[in-house]
C-alpha cells in the first residue's frame, strides 16, 4: 500500500476556513455512526458526549449565557500516487472572546469547549470542558463542590490535592483507579515488530487524543478498556480561584477514529478514475 502523508491546518476564522475550502475540491464522509445512550451518569450542564452539536451549543448558551462559535480544521491526506482526500469540518465549539490572553490573565472568566466528531458521527460531541475563574467569595469551597458531585455520582475513582476523577471502564464504574490489576496488550508496529505493554484502564500508558489526526498505522491504542473519564480540578489563589470540569468519552473516540480512518483509506485506495484537471498548462 502506498505511503500516506498527513497534513492539517487549523483555521480560527470562518472566513479563512471558507476560502481554504473553496481553493480545493472537497471530499466528504458518510454518516455511519449514531451513538447509543451512554452507560455512565456523568454530564456537564446536562450534556453528555454523543449529543448533537446544536443541542449542546443551545444548552451551554442558555445555562452559561455564552456564545459558542465553531473552530474549523482543514485536513488533507495524500497517497504516493497523488490521490488526495481533503476535508474541512468543525472540530470544536469554543467560547467567543476567550483565548490564551484571557486564560493567562487575572480577570474572572467562564468558558466552554466541546470537541466534535466529523460528519462520520454527525459532528457529535466527544469531549466537554468547562472552566470558570471567579473571586473566592463567589465560589463554594472545593470540599463543597466535591460533596455535591459525590451526591450525584458517588465517591470518586481517584482523589488528589488538585481534584478528583470518576472513571468508567468496560465493566462499569472503576472504584479505585490506581488499585486496578494490571492488564496486558500487544501492539504491532508498522514494520511488524510486536511489543507487550502493561496498563491500568483509564489510568496510564496510552494515547488520550480527542481531536482527529489521520494515521496510516495506529500502533498505540486509544485508552483501551476505558469508556469515559469525568474530572474536576481546583486551582486556588488569594483572591481568585479556578474550577474546571472535563468529560471525555474514549469509547466514542475509538469508534470515530476507526471509521474515519476506514473511509479515508478506502477513498485513497479506490480504483475509480480521477477526472483530469482543467488547469491552464
Amino acid at each position: 500500500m502506498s505511503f500516506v502523508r498527513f497534513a492539517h491546518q487549523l483555521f480560527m476564522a470562518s472566513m479563512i476556513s471558507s476560502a481554504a475550502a473553496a481553493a480545493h475540491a472537497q471530499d466528504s464522509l458518510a454518516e455511519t455512526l449514531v451513538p447509543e445512550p451512554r452507560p455512565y451518569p456523568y454530564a456537564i450542564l446536562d450534556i453528555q458526549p454523543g449529543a448533537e452539536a446544536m443541542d449542546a451549543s443551545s444548552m451551554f448558551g442558555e445555562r452559561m449565557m455564552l456564545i459558542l462559535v465553531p473552530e474549523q480544521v482543514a485536513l488533507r491526506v495524500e497517497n504516493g500516487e497523488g490521490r488526495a482526500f481533503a476535508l474541512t469540518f468543525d472540530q470544536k465549539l469554543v467560547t467567543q472572546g476567550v483565548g490564551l490572553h484571557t486564560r493567562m490573565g487575572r480577570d474572572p472568566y467562564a468558558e466552554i469547549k466541546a470537541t466534535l466528531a466529523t460528519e462520520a458521527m454527525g459532528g457529535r460531541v466527544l469531549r466537554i470542558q468547562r472552566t470558570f475563574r471567579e473571586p473566592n467569595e463567589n465560589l463554594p469551597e472545593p470540599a463543597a463542590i466535591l460533596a455535591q458531585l459525590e451526591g450525584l455520582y458517588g465517591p470518586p475513582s481517584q482523589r488528589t490535592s488538585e481534584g478528583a476523577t470518576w472513571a468508567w471502564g468496560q465493566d462499569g464504574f472503576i472504584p479505585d483507579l490506581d488499585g486496578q490489576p494490571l492488564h496486558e496488550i500487544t501492539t504491532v508496529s508498522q514494520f511488524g515488530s510486536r511489543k507487550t505493554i502493561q496498563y491500568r484502564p483509564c489510568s496510564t500508558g496510552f494515547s488520550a487524543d480527542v481531536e482527529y489526526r489521520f494515521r496510516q498505522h495506529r500502533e498505540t491504542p486509544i485508552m483501551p478498556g476505558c469508556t469515559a473519564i469525568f474530572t474536576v480540578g481546583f486551582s486556588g489563589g488569594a483572591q481568585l480561584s479556578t474550577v474546571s470540569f472535563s468529560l471525555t468519552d474514549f469509547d466514542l473516540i475509538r469508534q470515530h477514529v476507526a471509521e474515519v480512518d476506514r473511509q479515508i483509506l478506502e477513498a485513497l485506495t479506490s480504483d475509480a478514475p480521477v477526472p483530469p484537471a482543467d488547469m491552464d498548462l
Side-chain angles (χ1 to χ4, degrees):
M1 180 176 176
S2 302
F3 175 73
V4 180
R5 302 195 301 273
F6 168 64
H8 77 279
Q9 191 168 8
L10 185 65
F11 294 94
M12 301 300 291
S14 59
M15 183 178 296
I16 296 176
S17 296
S18 298
H24 303 279
Q26 287 293 295
D27 295 290
S28 62
L29 298 168
E31 183 177 350
T32 58
L33 300 173
V34 178
E36 297 180 354
R38 309 320 299 149
Y40 48 81
Y42 319 124
I44 293 179
L45 297 178
D46 294 331
I47 294 293
Q48 289 187 312
E52 294 186 0
M54 186 68 72
D55 293 341
S57 180
S58 177
M59 178 63 76
F60 295 149
E62 178 183 331
R63 296 282 294 274
M64 291 190 68
M65 303 299 291
L66 298 175
I67 298 175
L68 300 188
V69 295
E71 186 177 273
Q72 282 195 327
V73 161
L75 177 149
R76 180 180 172 88
V77 184
E78 184 177 317
N79 68 12
E81 284 75 40
R83 187 185 292 265
F85 185 95
L87 181 71
T88 300
F89 65 97
D90 293 341
Q91 190 173 73
K92 290 182 181 180
L93 291 174
V94 298
T95 303
Q96 189 176 54
V98 175
L100 182 62
H101 179 75
T102 303
R103 299 185 194 101
M104 296 296 291
R106 298 178 179 274
D107 295 326
Y109 77 96
E111 73 168 328
I112 283 279
K113 288 192 291 186
T115 304
L116 308 177
T118 65
E119 56 193 336
M121 193 180 276
R124 291 171 182 264
V125 174
L126 299 173
R127 177 174 66 185
I128 307 163
Q129 297 167 288
R130 178 189 180 192
T131 304
F132 51 90
R133 183 167 63 210
E134 291 282 350
N136 290 329
E137 58 267 22
N138 295 344
L139 292 172
E141 61 181 22
I145 297 176
L146 285 172
Q148 181 179 352
L149 290 171
E150 288 192 27
L152 292 171
Y153 307 132
S157 307
Q158 182 185 65
R159 190 192 297 267
T160 69
S161 60
E162 298 176 346
T165 298
W166 286 257
W168 199 274
Q170 290 179 334
D171 298 323
F173 176 67
I174 301 173
D176 184 359
L177 204 56
D178 297 325
Q180 301 176 86
L182 286 171
H183 294 61
E184 287 189 351
I185 193 168
T186 299
T187 63
V188 181
S189 75
Q190 60 180 328
F191 305 108
S193 60
R194 302 171 71 87
K195 179 172 61 175
T196 298
I197 303 173
Q198 292 186 325
Y199 69 98
R200 292 182 172 89
C202 296
S203 182
T204 57
F206 291 94
S207 168
D209 290 343
V210 180
E211 300 170 2
Y212 181 78
R213 299 288 186 270
F214 177 81
R215 298 288 185 273
Q216 182 179 1
H217 177 81
R218 295 186 183 273
E219 178 178 348
T220 305
I222 299 172
M223 295 292 277
C226 182
T227 298
I229 294 178
F230 174 71
T231 63
V232 57
F234 308 103
S235 177
Q239 296 180 323
L240 299 172
S241 290
T242 302
V243 181
S244 61
F245 301 90
S246 177
L247 174 53
T248 307
D249 192 311
F250 293 105
D251 178 51
L252 292 183
I253 292 166
R254 287 189 295 269
Q255 293 179 46
H256 176 248
V257 166
E259 179 59 15
V260 178
D261 283 354
R262 184 193 69 79
Q263 291 194 36
I264 291 176
L265 289 172
E266 185 177 271
L268 290 173
T269 55
S270 170
D271 293 329
V274 179
D278 60 355
M279 292 181 63
D280 183 5
L281 302 178

